[in-house]
Amino acid sequence: MQFFIMNPYMTDDFFQLLSQKFKDKKEDQLVKIWLHAQSLEENTYINCINLINNLNGNGKFEIMVTHAGNLFKKDPTKFKLSQPLDEKLKEKYLLKTKDHFFLSEASKKHIKFSSKGLNLAFYHTDIDCFIVAPQDLGIGEKQNQKTIQQIALGLASDGLALLLDSNEDLRFRSSLFSKIGENLYQKTGNNFPTDNPELLAARELVISLQSELQQKDQEFEQLNNEIEAYNHELEASNEELRATNDEIVSTYSELYKSNEALKVSENLINTVFNTAYIGICILDKDGKFIKVNKDYCNLLGYTKQELINKHYSLVTTQSNISDAEALFNRILKSGKSHVIETKSVKKNGEVIEILLSSSVMILENGDKSVVNTVRDITESKNLRNLLDTTLETFKIAGWDYDILNEKFTFTKELYHIYDLDEGETLDETVAYSVMDTKEEKQVRELIRESIISGDKKEIEVEIRTEKGAKKWIKITTNPIRSLGKTYELFGTVQDITEVKNTEEQMRQNEQLYKTLTRNFPGGTIDIIDRNLTYVFTGGKELEDLPQNPEEVIGKTIFEIYGVELAEILKDYFNRSFKGETITFDIEYKGKYWIATTVPLQDSDDNINQIMLLTQNITEKRKADIGLKETHKSLSDFRKALDITSLVVITDRQGVITYVNENLIALSEYNEEEFLGKEFSFLIPEESQKVLFSEGIKNISKGDVWQAEIKCISKSGSDFWVNISVIPFIDNEGLPYQFLGVANDISERKGAEQKLKIQNQELTRINAELDRFVYSASHDLRAPLVSILGLLNVARLDAGDSDNNTMYLDMMEKSVNKLDKFVQEIIDYSRNSRLEVKTEKIDFDYLVNDIFDNLKYIDGTDKVELKLNVTGNSDLISDSGRIRVIFNNLLSNAVIYKRSREDQPFIHIDVAISEKEAKISVKDNGKGISQEYVDKIFDMFFRASNDGAGSGLGLYIVKESLNILGGDIKVESQQNIGSNFIFNVPNKIGQENALPNPTLS
């Protein structure tokens, strides 16, 4: 081990022997070291630091520091240091203020200070090492003999004694020590260096009691662990918890009685009375003094003889006698210890504040007695009252927790902090009532940890007071311990709401400042000193100026911007250093900036720095230019409207606020006659219904409305306008004015009226034509049908003559050809004039019916017909036109089949969707030459000269599909076949579009 000076006697041999102590102890046991000095001076502290530094890491250890002086420092952790000490040790184990050093937490957790000096030897028989300097042992042979006895008493049987210098008394006057190294002595046995039988008996009793107490402490610790486990398990049941608590109290009482029973030795009491530095008295069961010690007599000013056999009321104030009697009887009855603050009367009549601790002791005759320890706390009570006043001023409440009696007490400042009415009981329930479950759990855990560890703790929690106010409080704990146990806990409750609010405001302000400087919108924030040097820069536009903070700070404006711009900036900056705030525009690297300089005054009102705020206004400048261009465009647009259109503007109520010259001229009214009126005054009464039912309804919702309106001029003549009314919408989504733009359509309306008359005439003519076609077709087909009938009769009478049969067949073909031609004329006429009538199309019935009607054509029975209909919908269309389309396609496929084809076919595929039907009619007939494919849908075009067709069939197919909204194409190869592909729109759910409304 290394050792950093102060004490040359703390050698490696010493630390090697001390390390053995750690090895002999169990892992959780302490190595106890007693360091005694004449007074608490810097050498003592340096010795402690060296011990801690060398022993850290070996195991758990504790250093008890005592001294021989009568005065004890108020704060023993505070001292001055004049001697050199390693800086690493200072940093690790000490805290430095202006004039003093303090032991740090790393030091204080190993050191305990006591003002009782060597008297503590009586209470501690388990010291592993005793360290003392010769000048600190006392003077005189008798005193040295007593000191040696006390050292032997305090050391364990194998304890070490280290003298920081040679000491003859220790070596020659006691055979209890044997030298094992330079200045090192080890206790040779467990003998006690005295012939006093009473002291020997007390010594043996102390050792026995301490052993038993250690065992009871372990039992008590185990019991505490069990109690804690019980508390966790039994939280859900109040009855079980109460029963468990009663059991715990009973068990604790028995344990406490057992511990108290160990203290009955009269010899021990005598010894304690002679060595203790606190007032002790023993009262019999009647409350009379049977034993008092010197400190008790000195405290109250009585002699021992004046107190023995006197009642305790002699030293009790008159106002406290009844309370004292009740407490005395309660202690005797319960056997529980009790600690209270009360008053006592000295012999001279002076009333003092005392801390009274009372316990029950069983005498040899079996009677109960009460042992009281008394300490004068008058000065500390006065200081506490002064502290209470101070705490009240600073909104700090004090609290105390009596662990033994499990009772909280609070100062009255808690009323103000919790917003309570004075007079309400301040107890544990009230203290936690303002906290949420989470905060209450945290505070309870903090108190528990402080009691167990003996460390000071603090926590900040948010509460809601009885009046609903949200506050922040800071709770501190300060444990009071004795013999390694915490018996009392006190602390403070401080209202830190203002501090928290201030901290939050400061945090927000700091965040706002950082955010503002870092994200200053569209610009930068700079601080510049009188040397025109940047000392700070920030903002989102740094890259545009170019201002990387690391590259800018410390440079002048001349180094950054060049001479020309810097000279301009210099003039503005110098004016600002004279106290002027200036705003100006600059152009830099193709961008526009607005800059403001603000003088910054220090505490002496001197201006040594200015703030430069810059914002990029390039987009704004461009927007201004664009706005001007927009204004010009709008002006030009308005002029164009005024020239080409009729323009009227109304407010949200429809009152005209503007009318252009075109409308004035057309209406024959002047401007004054328009302004202030509604536009409806131009519209005939019979047309206003549509205007108000449709137009106003639409434009009030913000929609554009268009209509053709008949108006009446001032002279009474009609004129027509096609008007569009456009609403202008405000921020709330409501129209605030309306723009009407119209065109004069009077000429078009006149032409439409003429066209209407012409259409009526054409309709009449078409009807007559329809009647003519019907009559002509009927008159033509009737003789043809008769001829066909006569031909069949002629076949029956012609016999077997081949020539007659041949002529008759030729005549039948010619008649059928003429009949087909007449039917095609009828289909063409109907297709071009009849309206579309929709219904569900049954493809199976339609196709098979058509095919059956083609049986008169030679070879029809040899053609294979296949129909495949797929899809998820029905087709709604005009069945008459669909029939015409299929009739022409199927008849062509049959007529133009190849004579050498053994298996002629017609395959029809129909795929129906809600949108349309896609249809394919495919055959393996003669096909069509590619040179004619684009012409087959022309009227009277025939791709073959065999005279079989009229050239109208496919034309009618094309026209029928056009009327239905469909289309058709063909894929064909000569001598291979043809495939006609067409689509028919599905009319499911479709409605015909309505024309624009017309007001007439």
Side-chain angles (χ1 to χ4, degrees):
M1 295 183 183
Q2 293 184 351
F3 186 74
F4 299 92
I5 197 69
M6 268 324 285
N7 212 311
Y9 301 103
M10 291 186 183
T11 61
D12 289 345
D13 291 341
F14 165 68
F15 284 110
Q16 186 175 358
L17 288 169
L18 195 56
S19 297
Q20 186 63 40
K21 296 293 180 183
F22 287 97
K23 296 179 181 178
D24 296 339
K25 293 280 185 178
K26 294 182 180 178
E27 184 176 347
D28 59 341
Q29 285 184 308
L30 285 173
V31 170
K32 296 186 178 181
I33 302 169
W34 190 343
L35 179 64
H36 183 72
Q38 184 67 25
S39 60
L40 294 181
E41 296 180 351
E42 59 181 315
N43 281 344
T44 304
Y45 292 100
I46 293 174
N47 286 336
C48 287
I49 292 170
N50 283 321
L51 280 170
I52 294 171
N53 187 60
N54 278 271
L55 298 179
N56 255 338
N58 285 332
K60 296 171 66 176
F61 64 94
E62 179 184 275
I63 303 173
M64 174 70 74
V65 180
T66 60
H67 68 90
N70 293 324
L71 296 177
F72 196 73
K73 296 169 66 175
K74 185 175 182 180
D75 184 357
T77 68
K78 174 182 176 182
F79 64 97
K80 289 188 176 182
L81 182 63
S82 60
Q83 302 181 46
L85 185 65
D86 187 271
E87 291 298 326
K88 291 183 179 179
L89 293 182
K90 286 183 183 179
E91 181 179 350
K92 188 172 183 180
Y93 299 110
L94 299 178
L95 298 175
K96 178 74 167 66
T97 62
K98 184 177 181 181
D99 300 318
H100 292 84
F101 283 90
F102 290 84
L103 294 177
S104 69
E105 292 298 326
S107 303
K108 288 193 291 184
K109 69 179 181 180
H110 294 295
I111 301 176
K112 290 188 176 181
F113 293 91
S114 175
S115 61
K116 296 182 180 179
L118 292 175
N119 292 316
L120 279 178
F122 186 79
Y123 301 102
H124 298 280
T125 60
D126 56 351
I127 300 299
D128 293 287
C129 179
F130 184 87
I131 303 173
V132 66
Q135 63 270 22
D136 298 331
L137 278 175
I139 303 174
E141 179 178 334
K142 184 176 182 181
Q143 181 65 30
N144 284 347
Q145 179 65 28
K146 181 180 178 181
T147 298
I148 294 169
Q149 293 175 356
Q150 287 176 320
I151 293 172
L153 184 64
L155 286 175
S157 61
D158 60 346
L160 293 174
L162 172 66
L163 292 185
L164 304 186
D165 198 350
S166 59
N167 184 272
E168 298 299 323
D169 286 330
L170 185 65
R171 189 161 35 157
F172 293 112
R173 294 190 175 274
S174 175
S175 60
L176 297 175
F177 296 94
S178 60
K179 193 165 186 178
I180 57 173
E182 185 66 28
N183 302 110
L184 281 176
Y185 298 83
Q186 188 167 15
K187 191 172 180 183
T188 57
N190 212 11
N191 298 319
F192 193 63
T194 179
D195 296 330
N196 187 329
E198 186 177 280
L199 192 57
L200 285 173
R203 164 68 176 175
E204 292 175 358
L205 181 59
V206 166
I207 295 173
S208 174
L209 287 177
Q210 285 192 335
S211 175
E212 292 185 29
L213 281 171
Q214 288 177 356
Q215 181 179 353
K216 292 298 181 181
D217 280 343
Q218 293 175 358
E219 294 176 2
F220 185 68
E221 183 69 27
Q222 182 179 357
L223 182 60
N224 276 339
N225 294 335
E226 292 176 2
I227 292 171
E228 185 174 354
Y230 289 154
N231 284 336
H232 285 297
E233 294 174 0
L234 303 178
E235 284 179 351
S237 171
N238 289 333
E239 291 298 325
E240 292 181 11
L241 180 61
R242 186 178 297 110
T244 303
N245 283 339
D246 291 343
E247 181 181 349
I248 292 170
V249 170
S250 174
T251 304
Y252 177 82
S253 176
E254 292 298 323
L255 179 62
Y256 192 89
K257 289 178 182 179
S258 299
N259 286 336
E260 291 296 320
L262 295 175
K263 302 175 182 178
V264 300
S265 171
E266 187 69 23
N267 291 333
L268 173 59
I269 294 174
N270 289 333
T271 306
V272 170
F273 275 28
N274 292 330
T275 58
Y277 284 87
I278 193 170
I280 304 175
C281 67
I282 302 177
L283 305 175
D284 63 15
K285 64 181 180 178
D286 298 321
K288 294 182 179 179
F289 292 101
I290 58 176
K291 201 169 189 65
V292 294
N293 73 344
K294 181 175 65 174
D295 278 19
Y296 187 81
C297 294
N298 293 338
L299 180 65
L300 298 178
Y302 288 95
T303 64
K304 183 177 179 180
Q305 290 73 21
E306 290 174 325
L307 292 174
I308 297 300
N309 294 324
K310 298 294 192 301
H311 194 267
Y312 63 78
S313 58
L314 175 67
V315 295
T316 306
T317 61
Q318 289 297 319
S319 60
N320 284 345
I321 287 179
S322 59
D323 291 338
E325 182 178 356
L327 177 64
F328 182 79
N329 292 331
R330 186 164 67 249
I331 293 172
L332 280 179
K333 184 177 180 180
S334 67
K336 292 183 178 181
S337 298
H338 202 83
V339 179
I340 62 168
E341 291 182 3
T342 184
K343 292 180 173 59
S344 188
V345 182
K346 297 174 69 171
K347 182 178 180 180
N348 60 8
E350 179 186 354
V351 177
I352 61 173
E353 299 281 349
I354 62 170
L355 179 67
L356 175 66
S357 177
S358 303
S359 302
V360 174
M361 182 177 70
I362 307 299
L363 299 176
E364 290 181 355
N365 59 8
D367 290 341
K368 291 182 178 180
S369 63
V370 176
V371 179
N372 292 331
T373 60
V374 181
R375 190 174 66 190
D376 185 356
I377 60 170
T378 303
E379 183 178 356
S380 62
K381 193 68 177 290
N382 292 336
L383 291 174
R384 186 185 299 178
N385 292 335
L386 177 61
L387 177 61
D388 289 343
T389 303
T390 304
L391 294 179
E392 183 176 354
T393 302
F394 290 97
K395 296 182 179 180
I396 301 175
W399 61 273
D400 180 87
Y401 179 48
D402 183 349
I403 297 174
L404 186 62
N405 296 293
E406 298 182 350
K407 181 180 179 182
F408 279 93
T409 54
F410 301 90
T411 61
K412 64 181 182 179
E413 178 56 26
L414 197 66
Y415 287 116
H416 304 298
I417 296 176
Y418 278 17
D419 292 339
L420 299 171
D421 295 330
E422 291 197 22
E424 291 188 34
T425 303
L426 294 178
D427 55 16
E428 181 179 0
T429 302
V430 172
Y432 288 119
S433 66
V434 297
M435 303 177 192
D436 290 339
T437 303
K438 178 182 177 182
E439 282 74 16
E440 178 181 347
K441 183 177 180 181
Q442 291 175 342
V443 174
R444 289 186 182 275
E445 181 64 21
L446 182 86
I447 291 175
R448 190 183 75 85
E449 290 178 357
S450 186
I451 292 173
I452 294 174
S453 66
D455 296 330
K456 297 178 181 179
K457 302 281 186 180
E458 65 179 45
I459 190 175
E460 295 178 358
V461 296
E462 188 177 22
I463 65 170
R464 186 180 293 274
T465 69
E466 289 293 320
K467 296 181 179 179
K470 285 186 177 181
K471 292 186 177 181
W472 277 91
I473 60 172
K474 180 179 181 179
I475 301 173
T476 65
T477 69
N478 197 341
I480 302 175
R481 294 169 68 84
S482 177
L483 299 177
K485 300 289 183 181
T486 302
Y487 68 88
E488 187 175 3
L489 197 67
F490 69 92
T492 61
V493 178
Q494 182 180 3
D495 183 351
I496 60 170
T497 306
E498 292 183 7
V499 175
K500 275 287 184 180
N501 291 341
T502 301
E503 288 177 352
E504 178 61 19
Q505 188 62 47
M506 290 176 64
R507 187 192 67 78
Q508 292 178 359
N509 290 343
E510 182 180 0
Q511 184 65 29
L512 180 62
Y513 171 74
K514 289 181 178 179
T515 303
L516 179 62
T517 55
R518 186 171 58 249
N519 302 292
F520 185 63
T524 63
I525 299 178
D526 307 306
I527 306 296
I528 298 171
D529 63 16
R530 282 191 169 274
N531 297 322
L532 304 182
T533 300
Y534 279 87
V535 297
F536 173 82
T537 184
K540 289 190 71 84
E541 295 291 326
L542 292 179
E543 64 274 10
D544 291 325
L545 272 180
Q547 288 184 204
N548 185 316
E550 290 76 12
E551 298 177 357
V552 171
I553 294 176
K555 293 185 179 180
T556 68
I557 60 175
F558 288 93
E559 295 176 281
I560 296 172
Y561 299 116
V563 176
E564 183 177 354
L565 179 57
E567 287 292 344
I568 297 173
L569 295 174
K570 177 181 177 182
D571 292 339
Y572 290 122
F573 292 171
N574 287 336
R575 288 168 56 191
S576 193
F577 277 116
K578 295 178 181 179
E580 190 176 351
T581 298
I582 310 166
T583 299
F584 54 92
D585 291 352
I586 56 173
E587 182 179 357
Y588 181 64
K589 289 192 174 181
K591 294 189 177 183
Y592 298 96
W593 305 82
I594 184 170
T596 301
T597 60
V598 181
L600 302 177
Q601 294 180 328
D602 60 18
S603 58
D604 297 326
D605 295 333
N606 296 322
I607 302 174
N608 293 315
Q609 293 179 335
I610 62 171
M611 179 183 291
L612 174 63
L613 305 174
T614 62
Q615 280 194 296
N616 188 340
I617 59 171
T618 304
E619 295 301 323
K620 182 177 180 299
R621 186 67 61 88
K622 290 179 180 179
D624 290 341
I625 296 172
L627 185 60
K628 291 178 181 179
E629 293 176 351
T630 301
H631 284 164
K632 185 177 184 306
S633 297
L634 289 175
S635 177
D636 294 341
F637 180 69
R638 180 170 177 174
K639 289 179 182 179
L641 281 178
D642 284 338
I643 293 171
T644 61
S645 304
L646 311 172
V647 180
V648 61
I649 299 176
T650 74
D651 61 16
R652 69 175 67 217
Q653 282 78 33
V655 177
I656 297 173
T657 58
Y658 171 80
V659 62
N660 75 340
E661 293 295 332
N662 291 342
L663 185 55
I664 291 173
L666 182 61
S667 66
E668 302 175 359
Y669 290 96
N670 60 38
E671 184 177 8
E672 289 73 16
E673 290 174 311
F674 270 100
L675 299 180
K677 293 183 180 180
E678 295 183 3
F679 186 75
S680 59
F681 86 94
L682 290 174
I683 304 173
E685 185 175 349
E686 65 270 14
S687 299
Q688 290 186 9
K689 182 178 180 182
V690 178
L691 171 65
F692 286 101
S693 63
E694 295 184 10
I696 294 179
K697 180 180 179 181
N698 287 343
I699 62 178
S700 62
K701 295 189 300 183
D703 297 334
V704 176
W705 180 66
Q706 294 179 323
E708 295 178 353
I709 305 175
K710 184 174 77 173
C711 301
I712 301 176
S713 68
K714 188 174 183 180
S715 63
S717 60
D718 296 342
F719 64 92
W720 281 84
V721 295
N722 182 5
I723 189 168
S724 296
V725 182
I726 305 161
F728 288 72
I729 308 301
D730 60 18
N731 292 334
E732 296 179 358
L734 300 175
Y736 66 90
Q737 72 175 14
F738 301 95
L739 170 65
V741 180
N743 294 311
D744 182 4
I745 59 172
S746 300
E747 292 184 4
R748 195 197 82 193
K749 277 295 183 179
E752 287 178 353
Q753 185 63 24
K754 292 179 182 179
L755 184 60
K756 182 177 181 182
I757 295 171
Q758 292 174 352
N759 286 338
Q760 291 173 351
E761 180 65 20
L762 286 173
T763 301
R764 184 187 64 79
I765 294 172
N766 286 334
E768 293 178 355
L769 182 59
D770 284 340
R771 288 193 294 272
F772 170 76
V773 170
Y774 175 78
S775 177
S777 62
H778 182 271
D779 292 343
L780 286 172
R781 291 197 71 198
L784 291 175
V785 172
S786 297
I787 293 171
L788 288 172
L790 292 172
L791 286 172
N792 289 326
V793 173
R795 281 195 183 94
L796 295 174
D797 294 335
D800 296 330
S801 174
D802 293 335
N803 290 330
N804 288 338
T805 301
M806 180 183 67
Y807 295 144
L808 289 173
D809 288 342
M810 292 175 63
M811 290 173 64
E812 184 180 14
K813 287 182 180 180
S814 296
V815 171
N816 283 330
K817 179 178 179 182
L818 180 59
D819 183 57
K820 185 175 183 296
F821 178 68
V822 172
Q823 184 62 47
E824 287 176 347
I825 292 174
I826 294 171
D827 290 341
Y828 170 71
S829 176
R830 289 177 176 175
N831 181 64
S832 61
R833 288 174 176 80
L834 294 180
E835 294 182 356
V836 175
K837 295 181 180 180
T838 59
E839 60 180 305
K840 178 181 175 182
I841 306 301
D842 185 346
F843 284 98
D844 285 333
Y845 170 77
L846 180 69
V847 171
N848 288 308
D849 184 57
I850 292 171
F851 196 71
D852 286 341
N853 291 333
L854 298 177
K855 295 294 185 181
Y856 70 88
I857 302 175
D858 289 341
T860 301
D861 56 341
K862 295 181 180 181
V863 178
E864 178 191 30
L865 177 68
K866 285 187 178 181
L867 174 64
N868 180 33
V869 181
T870 60
N872 56 5
S873 177
D874 294 327
L875 176 65
I876 306 299
S877 188
D878 189 329
S879 62
R881 287 182 169 84
I882 297 295
R883 175 178 285 275
V884 169
I885 293 169
F886 273 99
N887 186 63
N888 280 284
L889 293 177
L890 293 179
S891 63
N892 283 348
V894 172
I895 292 170
Y896 296 107
K897 66 181 181 299
R898 281 184 289 162
S899 58
R900 296 181 180 180
E901 177 59 52
D902 295 333
Q903 293 181 338
F905 65 79
I906 301 173
H907 291 172
I908 303 172
D909 290 315
V910 181
I912 308 173
S913 66
E914 292 184 357
K915 179 181 178 184
E916 62 184 0
K918 294 183 178 180
I919 304 171
S920 168
V921 179
K922 185 177 182 181
D923 64 58
N924 60 349
K926 293 180 180 181
I928 304 168
S929 176
Q930 289 299 314
E931 60 180 310
Y932 301 131
V933 167
D934 294 335
K935 300 177 181 180
I936 61 173
F937 295 109
D938 294 343
M939 181 182 286
F940 299 123
F941 177 80
R942 292 184 293 181
S944 173
N945 294 321
D946 58 7
S950 64
L952 280 175
L954 290 179
Y955 174 76
I956 294 171
V957 169
K958 177 71 172 178
E959 288 301 309
S960 297
L961 284 169
N962 286 341
I963 291 174
L964 294 177
D967 197 8
I968 188 169
K969 65 178 181 178
V970 62
E971 298 172 352
S972 182
Q973 288 184 332
Q974 201 164 13
N975 296 322
I976 293 179
S978 301
N979 185 14
F980 288 87
I981 303 167
F982 59 98
N983 66 296
V984 180
N986 202 337
K987 298 298 183 180
I988 290 180
Q990 295 186 7
E991 297 179 357
N992 293 329
L994 296 177
N996 288 339
T998 301
L999 304 184
S1000 60

